[in-house]
Amino acid sequence: MTAFTTRPEILGRFGAVTSTHWIASSVGMAMLERGGNAFDAAVAAGLVLQVVEPHLNGPGGEMPAILWSAARGKVEVICAQGGAPAGATIAHYRDQGLSAVPGDGLLATVVPGAWDGWMLMLRDHGRLSLREVLEPAIHYAEVGHPCLPRVADTIAGLADFFRATWPSSFDTWLPGGQAPAPHGILRNPVLGATWRRLLAEAEARRGGREAQIEGARDAFYRGFVAEEIGDWLARTELPDSEGRMQRGVLGAEDMAGYAARTEAPVWGEYGAWQVAKCGPWSQGPVMLQALALLRGSGLGAADPLGADFVHHVTEAMKLAYADREAYYADPEHIDVPLAALLSEDYAATRRALIGTRADLELRPGVVTGHEAQVARMQAALARLSSTDGAVYEPTMAHLARKRGDTVHLDVIDAEGNMVAVTPSGGWLQSSPTIPGLGFCLNSRAQMFWLEEGLPGSLAPGKRPRTTLSPSLALHEGRPALVFGTPGGDQQDQWQLIFFLYLAEFGMGLQQALDAPLFHSTHFPASFYPRSRSPGQILIEESHGPAVIKDLRGRGHDVQTAPAWSIGRLTAAAREPGGLIRAGASPRLMQAYAVGR
């Protein structure tokens, strides 16, 4: 196997930032140069990503992070995933004639968590001021940035819809009635003004840096931002993309009661590696379950680009994702038997189900005491449609145009601090822009079910089970690697493959990012309308015709994608002597790693 890579692996000892947009990576690096740490860099880069990739994330979205603090000596998760509003009941949505939460519009939103998550990270782990980390985002909102072709295409494709149905979005994204040109300058001065007001109110607080950050949190969740959101939603009724009139249920009181939180991660092992993920309110444990299934399977003897590897990994992912559907949910509302699901005894039982042929059934396991729950979930899944149009990784060209997706960033500094963040939500194409604020709300409520008795049933205060899943790994107990990707349901599939390329086959960081990818669409999508394509694999054609023919011979429904078209992974690693490595996928030609 050649070690050729599309770009150099970034090496240094000072620090590295890698993200899904080169401007955000550069801004994060500037924070390190200014004397900030990895967490300051992550906050600044994350806020800039809201400006330069507004079709993939925004201030009204959510933000899970997983981090290693050198000062605290432990791995922690920041959960900035908001819960359902008090008025978001199954009965209310059913009264609107809905059988599923819509994929866009005002009823699809939960409490926005991203801003509070960034402020919590800055307060507890950073050292720069709010002004220092916020000013780059204000600059790019006001002065503008080169509009990504995908952003320009998204806005142009929505021009007629915005003009007819969401006028505030038309005014924001098509000023003067003109869509931005690809690589033309895109501005959002209203968002810039919102941030300037937040900054002014925060700096009016007495008590120094932490008091100012608390002021910024209050201004968003208990001040003018929450008031604007609540007042606008209370008087606004707008159609979703299917023409159904909606009035939102999110109110200022829901905002006021929200706070991001710090949690312990969930752990899994693979050889000398220990992998940390977010809890079952994310899909993160599916990667740990898949690793448990693959431990001791002899996978290392396979060709990492061959049919045996693709088949075995795909079958493991099918089993792990089936359990995601049957069990994962907000653990504060649902008993999630995570210890059992991650146990070796359970993995051994499930591992025995992996055969030489593609399994076309969806097979969740049954944990003692959860038999009725699994039966109810299987009945609900059986009512879903099976289709080749399942929405899995919404930024890929062959999928639905109006879907949003996600961004990702990783940072490591000279002190050994490291952080991986996967912000999402608040997509310009999925929710109307809030007049006077310049940003949209999220559509994360679409991941709830409007049926009683399921793990993911809609309930007030409950966090939706998201697909957002950053990763952090230790090697022989030493913090060594942060990584992640956008991609909806594919996030933990692509991350699993990338991690195996590194941990099992010894590829270099950039080499593993460049290597061909694949994923399964066998299980139900998390996004409306939650369809599935049983037995289907989407694989980059760079695997070669022989591999594709072999997989079809094993019963897989193989669909090919062009080379360099699947995944947007980024990663950073730190060696025992302090050498930092960073890389980014060449796919879509915008992710970039910087460092020295």
Side-chain angles (χ1 to χ4, degrees):
M1 183 190 310
T2 178
F4 170 81
T5 60
T6 58
R7 55 184 71 178
E9 193 167 283
I10 302 300
L11 301 175
R13 294 174 60 88
F14 178 78
V17 183
T18 181
S19 82
T20 49
H21 197 292
W22 68 91
I23 290 178
S25 298
S26 298
V27 166
M29 192 66 192
M31 296 300 113
L32 297 181
E33 300 282 3
R34 185 176 291 189
N37 61 19
F39 311 112
D40 299 305
V43 174
L47 295 175
V48 166
L49 284 170
Q50 294 177 356
V51 179
V52 298
E53 295 199 82
H55 63 316
L56 305 181
N57 78 133
E62 44 273 325
M63 183 279 275
I66 190 160
L67 59 89
W68 165 265
S69 166
R72 298 188 181 195
K74 62 180 179 178
V75 177
E76 296 177 300
V77 165
I78 291 178
C79 174
Q81 173 57 63
T89 64
I90 291 176
H92 177 77
Y93 282 63
R94 290 286 189 177
D95 286 346
Q96 311 308 305
L98 297 170
S99 59
V101 179
D104 60 64
L106 300 179
L107 278 173
T109 194
V110 299
V111 177
W115 178 260
D116 210 53
W118 290 122
M119 293 300 99
L120 182 64
M121 182 183 292
L122 183 65
R123 185 197 70 184
D124 291 353
H125 300 283
R127 53 182 174 238
L128 296 182
S129 69
L130 176 63
R131 175 175 290 277
E132 287 174 299
V133 300
L134 184 54
E135 278 187 331
I138 294 173
H139 168 82
Y140 285 108
E142 294 179 340
V143 176
H145 55 92
C147 184
L148 293 169
R150 284 178 177 264
V151 178
D153 291 347
T154 297
I155 294 172
L158 291 165
D160 292 341
F161 174 75
F162 282 169
R163 182 185 289 108
T165 56
W166 294 353
S168 59
S169 294
F170 186 82
D171 293 342
T172 299
W173 304 110
L174 295 98
Q178 296 295 313
H183 301 136
I185 299 303
L186 179 61
R187 301 178 179 86
N188 189 345
V190 177
L191 176 58
T194 297
W195 277 333
R196 284 198 180 277
R197 183 174 174 185
L198 273 167
L199 183 58
E201 293 195 10
E203 291 183 335
R205 286 280 184 103
R206 296 181 179 178
R209 176 182 175 276
E210 290 191 7
Q212 290 183 8
I213 294 170
E214 288 302 306
R217 298 175 80 184
D218 286 343
F220 194 99
Y221 289 93
R222 289 161 286 280
F224 79 95
V225 174
E227 292 166 2
E228 291 272 1
I229 291 172
D231 290 348
W232 183 67
L233 288 175
R235 65 177 189 271
T236 301
E237 187 176 43
L238 290 171
D240 63 16
S241 61
E242 296 185 17
R244 298 169 297 207
M245 296 303 293
Q246 295 183 12
R247 186 178 293 275
V249 294
L250 179 68
E253 62 279 7
D254 298 302
M255 299 275 290
Y258 177 74
R261 67 189 78 177
T262 298
E263 300 179 353
V266 180
W267 291 94
E269 294 187 359
Y270 191 85
W273 292 85
Q274 301 84 45
V275 182
K277 300 290 286 187
C278 300
W281 50 267
S282 76
Q283 70 177 8
V286 296
M287 181 176 166
L288 306 182
Q289 283 196 252
L291 286 172
L293 290 170
L294 295 169
R295 280 197 306 259
S297 64
L299 194 66
D303 176 357
L305 305 185
D308 284 345
F309 177 80
V310 176
H311 170 78
H312 208 84
V313 171
T314 297
E315 295 305 298
M317 292 191 298
K318 288 178 183 178
L319 294 171
Y321 273 83
D323 282 348
R324 181 194 75 169
E325 296 304 310
Y327 294 102
Y328 292 14
D330 184 346
E332 293 189 354
H333 289 249
I334 298 294
D335 176 23
V336 182
L338 207 54
L341 293 172
L342 294 174
S343 70
E344 179 53 36
D345 287 345
Y346 184 79
T349 302
R350 301 285 279 162
R351 193 182 297 125
L353 298 176
I354 299 176
T356 59
R357 302 275 304 169
D359 190 349
L360 302 183
E361 299 297 322
L362 193 67
R363 301 182 189 275
V366 180
V367 174
T368 301
H370 291 76
E371 293 86 354
Q373 172 184 308
V374 174
R376 287 194 300 269
M377 197 68 231
Q378 285 181 307
L381 293 171
R383 292 190 286 273
L384 295 176
S385 62
S386 296
T387 173
D388 289 336
V391 176
Y392 287 91
E393 203 283 283
T395 56
M396 293 175 61
H398 66 288
L399 297 178
R401 191 171 190 174
K402 293 181 182 178
R403 304 291 175 176
D405 192 28
T406 305
V407 297
H408 184 80
L409 64 92
D410 305 293
V411 189
I412 300 179
D413 65 25
E415 300 164 39
N417 297 304
M418 52 182 64
V419 58
V421 196
T422 311
S424 188
W427 309 318
L428 69 86
Q429 62 271 42
S430 296
S431 187
T433 303
I434 304 164
L437 294 180
F439 65 83
C440 318
L441 294 171
N442 61 79
S443 55
R444 197 59 60 178
Q446 67 183 289
M447 296 181 171
F448 286 118
W449 292 78
L450 294 184
E451 295 185 39
E452 300 285 359
L454 304 179
S457 298
L458 176 66
K462 191 176 185 179
R463 291 173 288 180
R465 194 275 301 150
T466 78
T467 57
L468 305 176
S469 190
S471 299
L472 187 150
L474 312 184
H475 186 257
E476 297 179 343
R478 174 187 58 82
L481 179 69
V482 279
F483 58 105
T485 180
D489 294 276
Q490 270 54 257
Q491 288 182 31
D492 280 296
Q493 299 194 63
W494 297 334
Q495 290 183 77
L496 173 66
I497 298 163
F498 162 78
F499 179 76
L500 290 171
Y501 284 160
L502 286 175
E504 188 67 77
F505 299 101
M507 290 189 189
L509 197 68
Q510 188 62 48
Q511 183 187 9
L513 293 166
D514 286 353
L517 288 169
F518 58 91
H519 62 257
S520 170
T521 54
H522 173 78
F523 49 86
S526 298
F527 299 89
Y528 177 88
R530 308 187 85 118
S531 50
R532 60 183 289 250
S533 301
Q536 189 173 98
I537 298 175
L538 187 65
I539 187 169
E540 287 185 322
E541 60 189 11
S542 45
H543 277 87
V547 170
I548 292 167
K549 180 180 179 180
D550 188 327
L551 291 167
R552 285 175 174 154
R554 302 181 195 216
H556 296 282
D557 175 9
V558 181
Q559 304 295 313
T560 59
W564 311 112
S565 67
I566 294 179
R568 295 174 67 201
L569 285 151
T570 68
R574 188 171 189 266
E575 297 183 354
L579 181 68
I580 298 168
R581 299 178 179 269
S585 172
R587 296 162 176 88
L588 301 189
M589 298 300 289
Q590 66 183 65
Y592 229 82
V594 296
R596 68 172 178 85

